[in-house]
Amino acid sequence: MLMPPFILHHPSTVEEACKISAELIKKGEDFDWVSGGTDLLANYKWRINTKPHVISLSNIPGIDSVSNLEIGCMARLSSLEGSNVHPMIAEAAGKVASSLIRKSATLGGNLCLDTRCFWYNQSEDWRRSIDWCHKADCGTGSDCRVIPNQNTLCVATYQGDIAPVLMVLGASVHLIGPNGERVMPLSEFYQLDGMKKNVLEKGEFLLKVTLPKDSMKRIGSYQKLRVRDSWDFPEAGVAVSWLEGDKGSIKVATTALESIPREHKEEVSQIIAEGWDDKSVKALAGAIRKSVKPVNNTALPPNYRRSVVQVLVKRAFSQIK
Amino acid sequence: MSAGYRQQPNSARKDGKRVAGKQVFPPPGSGGSDPVMKERDLNFIPESVGGKEPQPAGSHIHDRIRTGTVIGKPLPLVDSNAKVTGQAWYGDDVRLANESIGKILRSPHHYAKIISIDTSKVEALPGVIAVATGADSPHSFGVLPVTKDEHAMAVEKVRHMGDLVACVSAVDEATAIEALGLFEIEWELLEPVFDPKKGLEDHDDPIHWRGKYHLAKTNVQKRVFQEFGDRSLVENPFSSSHGKWTMAGVHHGFTEPHAVVAHWDPNGRLQLYTPQQVPHYTHRALSTVLDVPMHQINVIRTFVGGGFGGKSDPFPHEMCAAILARKSGRPVRITFDREEVYWINRGRHPSNIEVKMTADDEGRISGFDIDALIDGGGFASFGHVTSYYNGVLATAPYELGSFHYTGARVWTNKPASGAMRGHGAVNTRCAVEVGLDEMAEEMNVDPIDLRLANLLPPHSRTITGFRITSNGMREALERVREGSNWDEKFRKLPLGKGIGIGCGFFISGSGLPIHWDPNRFPHATVHIQVDMDGGVTVHTGAADIGQGSTTAVAQVVSEVLALPIEMIHVRSHESDTSPVDLGSYSSRVTFMNANAAIRAALDIREKLLDAAWDILGYHPNTLIINDRRIYYKHDPAIGVSYLQALHKAQEDKGALISSGSYRSPPMGGVHKGAAAGLAPAYSFSAYVAEVDVDIELGLIKCTNVWAAHDCGKALNPLAVKGQIIGSCHMGLGQVLSEKMVYGRTGHLQNANLLEYKIPSIHEMPHVEPIIVESSDPEGPFGAKEAGEGPLLPILPAVVNAVYDAIGIRYNDLPLTPDIIFKGVEKKRKKLKLEEATELPSPRFTHGPKSIELQKSLMKRSQEHKKRDLARQKTEDTSPYVNGVLFGFDPNIPLEDQVEGWRMATEPDPEQLAELGLAGRAWLKKEQRQMESEK
Ligand SMILES: Cc1cc2nc3c(=O)[nH]c(=O)nc-3n(C[C@H](O)[C@H](O)[C@H](O)COP(=O)(O)OP(=O)(O)OC[C@H]3O[C@@H](n4cnc5c(N)ncnc54)[C@H](O)[C@@H]3O)c2cc1C
Ligand code: SF4
């Protein structure tokens, strides 16, 4: 498969990266960020939303740091496995794709992963034959193939593994761009729909992830559902953590079930309010099942994915008791 | 220093100058790289001829030509160095000077008429070299002479999304891709058919039109009816089972995508490089499509990066490359993207299969009814044969009271199905083996004992008349039972853990060469040439597709001539230099080519022995041929080196040349379709699989497989084990995760290797390969196939193991987690259980009757074991036909013994109403019949 042509920019500092993006915006030229490229380049080869410019972050020194309180966006997933980061992060990173892909894949790319859909992750010829999809081929005026007869929303699925884990550890993300830096909890970073994906403004990129001091005290579990134990994206994922013995600290997040990964604060606080007992995990599992709304655009059917969320929640909790 | 070709010391004149023509011919060396002859390896010389190799299955006609050199020894494949060092040249590795890049324009529609194609803009694009459309290729072709329904590019209409419409060659790939966007095509959309059931109905525009042979206005490509045996046995069964299966289509998933390079050489001959399993059919098809005699085409088979049946049709893109190259006078290279590999497909047919079985109170299988509706996609491919195989290959290894089969293959607007490892036999085999398990459960007997008490013996005939020679089925079952510790586990494991059995039966070479009369031409021919250097060049058309056919041919020649394998050079790539071979399908290559190679090698061996006789004065009967030396049996000091004997044999004639061929013996019945499934030998296999089922999530993990396969004789145990393990992997894919998903709109949703889920190394169980050697009387050194048969049993073994684990029968393949989950939920709700983990595990529930039956089955299988051994060793040579178990006399035609013994290939009118889904094709009439009735 042939890579479509684009101009590659290789800034060597964060400032230069911001400058290039600002200039391109000024000239009205569109661009993408690229880190490991394991997601972006595959989509480019399929000619999905290609841009004339690509800015690579891989030449910027110092943004690949790995420690238990801070992880740079260019940290390779392979360097998270077996490092001193929280064991849940190491575990989730180790479950992403395959060992070969994890050598290139980065944390920044994982968090900013494009949403997926089997009407969308297809070659140009293929998409032409369905008369295009709304997300891949904006401007054709075409419909969404998953939920037809509406063409303003995309329900493509976010299938990253690490976001839910970082959410239950209370992580924050640092975004930087021509207008400066901003920080926010990761659980506020994602934004509907499947096309918008997150709050990044044009020209902004995710610089690093920071974790609260008490995060290392949290114990938790990440449950990933997939067909094959290597390569496969999650079909559903549940992360759970708490400060041992402190039910008020329970956090639960899900991934691969909707267009964004999501922390389930409401469901958790409601169950806790009812008084935490033996049956609470089951009740919480049921509440989360009710709240998630998967659609038919991944390998396994949505009814199934939704049902087994309960099992994943239950199993995650059984690991932390 | 060993003797070699040195200038003789006395051959110079006193003045130091050499005497012309007076050199003494130097003594030849030994040939080979080791100067010392190796000892005869008696461990690999059969007992029957004085060696130490045990022969539990008796002696073999080839024993006397065994030399202990390589047969039976684990040997890395001779081309493995080229592969592991990256030097093997696959299709896309061929780079010719001045090449151009070809790309194919594919249909964006499922089914449409082409009203017009305007290529003017394409031609005007700078960098475009040649453009071609269906108008450049009016002649049709197809792998089977009876169903030539393909064109290089669509003529008149496209039949599936991805069907070839036009092609273009350009200076580079980017230009070629750009050019594809410039074709202007006017379409008229037609109503597509996706559901094979709809294919049975009349349609305004059938996908193909077969004139007077067309079945009404349906999309039925082929229908089959077969009924054999005593149908009265089916009434009032003691036990029965009924399975209605839906099996998704699967693809071969070979590593190398298709690629082709075409070049018309300066003399105007076509040189076509392609990774083909069956280069000869491509050769024929090219000749037809291009209107060029075959001798003006040289088909060069590159290394083949896996085929499994998916590279055995002549392909339209091969024609496209040749057409573009002819138009432009420049070499053209076309390499597929993975997606295009799925468009051309030829994978296993999506199937709707219904199997009904009955047994009588003695646990004999009285009825065996199969109905198979298979989805052929847009073209016929091998489908004619598949339609038969789905029924006839399911009958053995069992003795049946009756057999009833209705099959239909329909065209739909999807990529064409075709032949895939285990061609036509895999899906019904799964359904049948699961049906047997179900009956065993109903009768409360052990499913292995049920099988052991119903096996056909060696040297017998199946219910449809196949001639069975060697048969290692019983041993295979016994060995997996023992190896897996079956008796301690079956129906005894805790919930979520299970163990299951499955058997297999497969042809070892199709008995009918598709393109000619087997009575006139041999199936396979091999040429051998030995020149003065002593190296042996073997010319064969056998296509090595990774299965190791080159190694097998080299091995048998090495064995017969007692030469180290590195002295055997197999040349098999070019049609210019290799004798015609039918190719690598139907597991025919080792059986047929190795047999031909043995014959050719025997001819050379005879010449060498005669020469040694000349030199030594001892008759060949008293000579031993061992590692590069021929010597007197009673005094090894008296002997000649191989090269001495060779050069003696070459006196007056130069290089030694020989030719050997293989012909199949006459076999099988005369009824319509009798040839389908006929083979000179059959392989047998039995697997036990163990699984863990995550009952809450529906995930299945296959943990262990004991895999016994009867390959007659393992010429190369390493290769046989590799085939067994590889087959397990491939079959596991089909049973657990692989499927071609056609979505709501009929599009193939997963034409890539991320979403088409081939198991990874993580999903592989521990496989214990168990080689069973039944020594086939006609196989080369006793060998039969080991390439396809080993795939069959893994599917039912897993499905049966899942039942043992959670007590639920599944009839949908693959067993993806959602399917398992659905079944579990259904049962949980039915039993009103809170949690899935409370489901009951299946257990034996013996009563006095079943204990009685179990005992009688075990007794019968003990008796049959003795019977089989006597027949295997040809101590008992009486005829045996299917039916003896039911008390019939094998010496009298069955139809004379039983009133109503059926041997029908068309239904009786009164049967029509009761036929199954595929059988409904018999409700329709052919056009010629409709005409004549008008
Ligand atoms: C076969 C296969 C299997 C996979 N399986 C999994 C899996 O199981 N789980 C999983 O989570 N992922 C999986 N992936 C996806 C991907 O490999 C990983 O998510 C990876 O971490 C992405 O990182 P990257 O650096 O390669 O991203 P890139 O491809 O470089 O970028 C991904 C996206 O993020 C944007 N981006 C990258 N860096 C930044 C940044 N710093 N700031 C803002 N935007 C940025 C890019 O513009 C692009 O849109 C799989 C991919 C493949 C090809
Ligand atoms: S969800 Fe709809 S719009 Fe989004 S990628 Fe899929 S088909 Fe396109």
Side-chain angles (χ1 to χ4, degrees):
Chain A
M1 243 181 210
L2 205 61
M3 185 67 78
F6 53 78
I7 297 166
L8 182 64
H9 302 266
H10 256 314
S12 53
T13 60
V14 171
E15 296 69 39
E16 193 188 343
C18 295
K19 206 176 120 213
I20 295 173
S21 69
E23 275 166 14
L24 289 173
I25 292 170
K26 212 162 124 202
K27 279 196 261 175
E29 303 215 9
D30 210 353
F31 64 91
D32 273 320
W33 300 107
V34 70
S35 297
T38 60
D39 180 47
L40 186 86
L41 297 186
N43 284 345
Y44 265 43
K45 281 198 168 184
W46 268 338
R47 295 175 187 240
I48 297 175
N49 293 335
T50 57
K51 312 277 159 63
H53 296 267
V54 172
I55 312 175
S56 167
L57 301 174
S58 64
N59 262 15
I60 304 176
I63 58 168
D64 60 350
S65 61
V66 174
S67 76
N68 55 25
L69 295 182
E70 187 179 309
I71 307 172
C73 65
M74 278 304 295
R76 307 284 170 179
L77 300 190
S78 56
S79 68
L80 295 178
E81 299 168 75
S83 71
N84 64 349
V85 296
H86 192 285
M88 278 181 82
I89 302 177
E91 187 199 331
K95 284 183 175 168
V96 170
S98 65
S99 55
L100 213 63
I101 292 175
R102 292 195 295 272
K103 287 255 182 261
S104 309
T106 66
L107 180 68
N110 190 277
L111 295 179
C112 301
L113 191 67
D114 195 4
T115 51
R116 303 180 59 81
C117 168
F118 58 53
W119 299 99
Y120 167 77
N121 296 101
Q122 300 282 3
S123 73
E124 194 171 22
D125 280 350
W126 198 99
R127 297 192 321 271
R128 180 180 297 116
S129 79
I130 59 159
D131 208 8
W132 315 107
C133 99
H134 171 57
K135 174 180 178 189
D137 310 283
C138 300
T140 55
S142 57
D143 208 350
C144 166
R145 303 293 154 191
V146 179
I147 305 176
N149 304 323
Q150 56 91 5
N151 54 16
T152 51
L153 260 189
C154 163
V155 290
T157 307
Y158 175 84
Q159 287 181 286
D161 276 305
I162 307 179
V165 166
L166 291 175
M167 280 179 184
V168 301
L169 293 176
S172 296
V173 285
H174 297 241
L175 315 180
I176 195 161
N179 300 331
E181 190 172 339
R182 47 186 184 136
V183 186
M184 66 185 70
L186 178 62
S187 47
E188 288 166 23
F189 173 66
Y190 293 98
Q191 205 177 64
L192 288 171
D193 60 357
M195 288 169 73
K196 172 79 177 120
K197 298 178 284 195
N198 53 42
V199 302
L200 282 172
E201 303 282 343
K202 195 83 216 171
E204 237 180 354
F205 69 94
L206 191 156
L207 181 63
K208 65 183 175 191
V209 172
T210 51
L211 291 131
K213 282 213 181 67
D214 70 354
S215 68
M216 283 307 275
K217 291 200 202 110
R218 282 187 168 264
I219 55 170
S221 163
Y222 174 59
Q223 300 287 324
K224 173 174 183 174
L225 176 79
R226 54 178 159 177
V227 179
R228 295 172 297 182
D229 273 342
S230 116
W231 300 330
D232 282 346
F233 281 93
E235 288 290 321
V238 173
V240 164
S241 91
W242 73 337
L243 293 163
E244 197 165 6
D246 174 7
K247 63 178 195 244
S249 69
I250 291 175
K251 282 177 186 281
V252 179
T254 54
T255 186
L257 292 159
E258 294 166 338
S259 292
I260 53 171
R262 194 144 68 86
E263 198 190 328
H264 295 269
K265 282 187 189 150
E266 255 174 55
E267 291 85 353
V268 171
S269 53
Q270 196 180 338
I271 301 283
I272 289 176
E274 288 165 14
W276 189 262
D277 60 21
D278 292 350
K279 291 193 188 124
S280 296
V281 170
K282 199 168 175 194
L284 181 58
I288 291 177
R289 176 191 168 278
K290 261 201 201 125
S291 118
V292 296
K293 297 197 169 45
V295 295
N296 189 17
N297 59 6
T298 69
L300 296 175
N303 288 346
Y304 165 75
R305 283 156 61 217
R306 193 171 185 207
S307 301
V308 296
V309 163
Q310 299 184 90
V311 180
L312 300 180
V313 172
K314 212 174 71 189
R315 287 190 185 177
F317 271 100
S318 74
Q319 301 279 309
I320 64 170
K321 268 199 198 130
Chain B
M1 193 183 155
S2 64
Y5 294 92
R6 282 181 302 153
Q7 191 67 44
Q8 291 298 296
N10 303 331
S11 62
R13 285 193 334 198
K14 284 208 182 80
D15 56 8
K17 291 208 175 121
R18 291 192 329 197
V19 188
K22 268 228 163 165
Q23 283 107 315
V24 179
F25 193 75
S30 62
S33 39
D34 183 353
V36 186
M37 178 190 83
K38 284 199 191 70
E39 289 271 326
R40 270 185 107 204
D41 193 343
L42 289 178
N43 290 327
F44 289 89
I45 291 181
E47 281 171 347
S48 72
V49 288
K52 292 186 191 159
E53 185 180 279
Q55 291 182 293
S59 61
H60 191 270
I61 183 174
H62 288 151
D63 287 350
R64 59 175 191 86
I65 53 170
R66 290 282 297 278
T67 58
T69 309
V70 281
I71 292 301
K73 298 182 182 177
L75 196 78
L77 301 187
V78 294
D79 53 1
S80 44
N81 281 7
K83 289 182 177 170
V84 298
T85 57
Q87 294 177 64
W89 44 288
Y90 295 95
D92 186 57
D93 290 324
V94 177
R95 289 288 188 281
L96 302 183
N98 208 24
E99 71 164 11
S100 58
I101 302 299
K103 280 272 165 201
I104 290 163
L105 180 73
R106 295 181 177 276
S107 165
H109 303 299
H110 296 298
Y111 194 28
K113 271 200 186 114
I114 299 174
I115 307 297
S116 67
I117 303 186
D118 183 349
T119 60
S120 52
K121 286 193 182 146
V122 185
E123 279 154 37
L125 183 73
V128 165
I129 296 169
V131 184
T133 65
D136 296 291
S137 59
H139 302 298
S140 67
F141 66 93
V143 66
L144 301 185
V146 286
T147 50
K148 294 189 177 182
D149 64 359
E150 295 185 59
H151 287 89
M153 286 155 283
V155 170
E156 189 200 348
K157 59 186 179 182
V158 289
R159 294 181 168 85
H160 62 87
M161 191 212 139
D163 201 1
L164 294 84
V165 178
C167 59
V168 54
S169 67
V171 287
D172 57 25
E173 193 179 349
T175 312
I177 291 174
E178 191 185 342
L180 292 184
L182 300 175
F183 283 92
E184 285 177 358
I185 303 173
E186 206 184 321
W187 303 98
E188 179 193 325
L189 299 191
L190 300 170
E191 183 63 30
V193 181
F194 302 123
D195 181 355
K197 288 176 202 133
K198 289 253 165 67
L200 294 166
E201 297 163 12
D202 286 346
H203 188 280
D204 288 343
D205 293 283
I207 297 171
H208 292 273
W209 186 248
R210 298 182 58 208
K212 61 182 180 180
Y213 298 107
H214 202 95
L215 203 60
K217 285 196 82 185
T218 67
N219 277 302
V220 175
Q221 183 235 320
K222 175 75 190 163
R223 61 177 179 180
V224 178
F225 178 92
Q226 294 207 330
E227 196 167 74
F228 288 80
D230 183 356
R231 294 299 285 166
S232 69
L233 294 172
V234 180
E235 290 153 22
N236 306 319
F238 176 71
S239 172
S240 64
S241 70
H242 185 178
K244 262 188 169 176
W245 292 75
T246 314
M247 291 153 165
V250 287
H251 186 264
H252 323 77
F254 35 74
T255 314
E256 179 202 22
H258 303 268
V260 59
V261 176
H263 170 47
W264 294 79
D265 72 13
N267 295 333
R269 288 187 78 217
L270 173 63
Q271 310 281 340
L272 188 108
Y273 302 77
T274 181
Q276 256 288 350
Q277 293 183 238
V278 187
H280 183 62
Y281 293 4
T282 296
H283 200 171
R284 283 176 180 252
L286 282 167
S287 168
T288 310
V289 172
L290 301 169
D291 244 333
V292 167
M294 279 176 76
H295 54 78
Q296 291 307 300
I297 300 171
N298 184 22
V299 176
I300 301 153
R301 178 185 60 82
T302 65
F303 275 76
V304 183
F308 309 106
K311 291 176 184 163
S312 46
D313 291 59
F315 283 116
H317 63 271
E318 294 169 332
M319 320 294 156
C320 288
I323 292 167
L324 288 170
R326 178 156 68 181
K327 279 192 153 185
S328 64
R330 281 175 69 167
V332 172
R333 174 163 60 89
I334 297 178
T335 302
F336 276 13
D337 291 337
R338 181 59 58 176
E339 188 177 284
E340 297 182 278
V341 173
Y342 283 96
W343 296 145
I344 205 78
N345 189 23
R346 319 292 152 142
R348 204 180 307 295
H349 291 67
S351 310
N352 292 92
I353 290 171
E354 189 172 358
V355 169
K356 288 187 206 156
M357 277 189 220
T358 57
D360 63 15
D361 55 2
E362 291 177 42
R364 296 177 300 191
I365 308 166
S366 50
F368 205 79
D369 293 18
I370 300 172
D371 179 85
L373 174 64
I374 60 174
D375 181 348
F379 297 98
S381 183
F382 280 91
H384 191 84
V385 181
T386 327
S387 308
Y388 280 105
Y389 279 3
N390 261 287
V392 296
L393 291 185
T395 59
Y398 308 112
E399 195 160 347
L400 308 175
S402 68
F403 168 60
H404 169 101
Y405 171 56
T406 41
R409 183 182 191 269
V410 295
W411 285 299
T412 57
N413 294 105
K414 297 185 213 159
S417 308
M420 176 170 162
R421 200 178 200 177
H423 184 190
V426 174
N427 290 354
T428 39
R429 170 61 54 188
C430 180
V432 159
E433 295 289 323
V434 172
L436 277 175
D437 240 52
E438 233 178 302
M439 279 210 298
E441 169 157 56
E442 200 184 76
M443 293 188 275
N444 253 298
V445 297
D446 186 288
I448 294 190
D449 288 313
L450 179 66
R451 286 170 169 87
L452 285 171
N454 285 291
L455 297 179
L456 283 162
H459 302 287
S460 59
R461 279 191 188 269
T462 69
I463 193 160
T464 61
F466 298 156
R467 182 197 70 149
I468 287 182
T469 50
S470 60
N471 179 347
M473 191 66 239
R474 187 172 301 279
E475 185 184 340
L477 273 165
E478 286 172 350
R479 287 178 67 183
V480 291
R481 171 182 234 163
E482 197 191 315
S484 64
N485 209 2
W486 172 270
D487 294 334
E488 301 306 312
K489 293 178 182 163
F490 184 69
R491 295 289 187 262
K492 293 176 183 159
L493 297 172
L495 182 71
K497 290 196 180 291
I499 189 164
I501 177 81
C503 290
F505 163 82
F506 202 67
I507 52 173
S508 187
S510 166
L512 194 71
I514 298 174
H515 280 279
W516 56 73
D517 175 358
N519 299 318
R520 286 185 61 210
F521 294 106
H523 276 272
T525 308
V526 168
H527 297 164
I528 296 184
Q529 169 196 329
V530 196
D531 216 324
M532 291 177 95
D533 62 0
V536 179
T537 306
V538 184
H539 293 280
T540 168
D544 200 315
I545 57 171
Q547 88 279 40
S549 64
T550 298
T551 308
V553 168
Q555 264 188 296
V556 299
V557 174
S558 154
E559 179 77 10
V560 173
L561 300 179
L563 293 173
I565 193 113
E566 65 266 19
M567 289 179 70
I568 318 295
H569 316 302
V570 179
R571 287 287 171 276
S572 62
H573 286 289
E574 288 189 42
S575 63
D576 270 3
T577 56
S578 47
V580 167
D581 188 81
L582 289 168
S584 290
Y585 64 85
S586 79
S587 283
R588 56 177 290 284
V589 183
T590 294
F591 199 94
M592 298 184 177
N593 267 272
N595 259 325
I598 288 177
R599 267 164 221 161
L602 276 176
D603 192 19
I604 301 283
R605 177 180 148 122
E606 201 174 305
K607 288 178 177 139
L608 291 172
L609 285 170
D610 282 349
W613 181 10
D614 263 2
I615 301 170
L616 300 171
Y618 288 100
H619 187 270
N621 283 352
T622 64
L623 293 176
I624 284 186
I625 178 161
N626 188 32
D627 182 24
R628 291 160 297 148
R629 209 175 124 77
I630 300 169
Y631 53 84
Y632 181 46
K633 204 161 150 180
H634 304 294
D635 182 0
I638 304 172
V640 292
S641 78
Y642 158 65
L643 279 186
Q644 266 171 324
L646 175 67
H647 291 161
K648 178 77 189 163
Q650 286 178 341
E651 275 177 15
D652 301 333
K653 41 182 179 287
L656 299 188
I657 295 191
S658 72
S659 176
S661 61
Y662 170 80
R663 254 167 218 277
S664 56
M667 43 192 179
V670 289
H671 56 271
K672 182 167 183 245
L678 273 194
Y682 296 90
S683 74
F684 299 86
S685 36
Y687 287 12
V688 165
E690 230 172 19
V691 299
D692 282 352
V693 182
D694 181 332
I695 194 159
E696 288 179 311
L697 291 181
L699 292 166
I700 300 169
K701 169 100 188 136
C702 181
T703 52
N704 282 296
V705 178
W706 291 266
H709 178 73
D710 166 24
C711 64
K713 162 87 194 159
L715 301 181
N716 182 356
L718 191 62
V720 173
K721 286 179 183 172
Q723 288 296 323
I724 291 177
I725 296 170
S727 293
C728 272
H729 173 253
M730 198 166 219
L732 272 174
Q734 187 179 355
V735 69
L736 294 181
S737 56
E738 289 179 38
K739 61 173 165 181
M740 294 178 71
V741 183
Y742 293 97
R744 176 183 89 227
T745 54
H747 288 83
L748 179 61
Q749 300 278 21
N750 59 343
N752 61 71
L753 290 178
L754 178 62
E755 296 304 336
Y756 180 83
K757 299 193 183 296
I758 298 175
S760 77
I761 189 82
H762 291 274
E763 281 69 55
M764 265 312 269
H766 172 75
V767 180
E768 185 79 42
I770 301 169
I771 295 174
V772 174
E773 300 188 320
S774 60
S775 186
D776 190 75
E778 293 168 24
F781 300 109
K784 301 185 285 192
E785 73 92 24
E788 299 189 74
L791 187 141
L792 273 46
I794 185 70
L795 285 82
V798 168
V799 179
N800 286 332
V802 168
Y803 181 80
D804 191 47
I806 61 174
I808 300 171
R809 292 251 173 239
Y810 289 97
N811 296 138
D812 285 313
L813 293 191
L815 299 176
T816 46
D818 52 306
I819 299 277
I820 299 292
F821 181 81
K822 226 196 225 161
V824 168
E825 281 302 284
K826 200 169 145 202
K827 182 144 186 194
R828 184 183 66 79
K829 284 183 188 146
K830 196 173 142 203
L831 298 181
K832 302 201 170 68
L833 302 173
E834 185 84 354
E835 301 287 341
T837 46
E838 295 164 16
L839 284 183
S841 289
R843 297 283 180 247
F844 275 122
T845 48
H846 283 304
K849 223 169 159 184
S850 70
I851 292 176
E852 186 84 346
L853 182 59
Q854 170 74 30
K855 274 193 196 146
S856 79
L857 289 177
M858 287 164 75
K859 188 161 157 252
R860 189 158 88 219
S861 56
Q862 280 309 317
E863 287 162 14
H864 284 184
K865 188 173 178 175
K866 284 188 210 125
R867 168 198 78 180
D868 291 4
L869 199 66
R871 299 185 68 82
Q872 174 75 49
K873 294 194 163 179
T874 56
E875 288 158 10
D876 175 2
T877 54
S878 61
Y880 193 106
V881 297
N882 180 89
V884 173
L885 182 64
F886 292 86
F888 303 131
D889 183 343
N891 297 299
I892 307 169
L894 289 161
E895 50 273 34
D896 296 348
Q897 300 180 55
V898 194
E899 205 186 321
W901 181 272
R902 296 271 293 167
M903 220 179 92
T905 55
E906 272 186 32
D908 292 341
E910 61 270 22
Q911 281 182 300
L912 288 175
E914 320 155 5
L915 295 176
L917 180 59
R920 277 194 233 146
W922 289 92
L923 300 176
K924 300 280 181 181
K925 289 181 180 151
E926 283 182 3
Q927 285 290 335
R928 53 178 171 171
Q929 198 182 351
M930 292 160 77
E931 287 285 303
S932 68
E933 281 172 17
K934 249 189 226 161

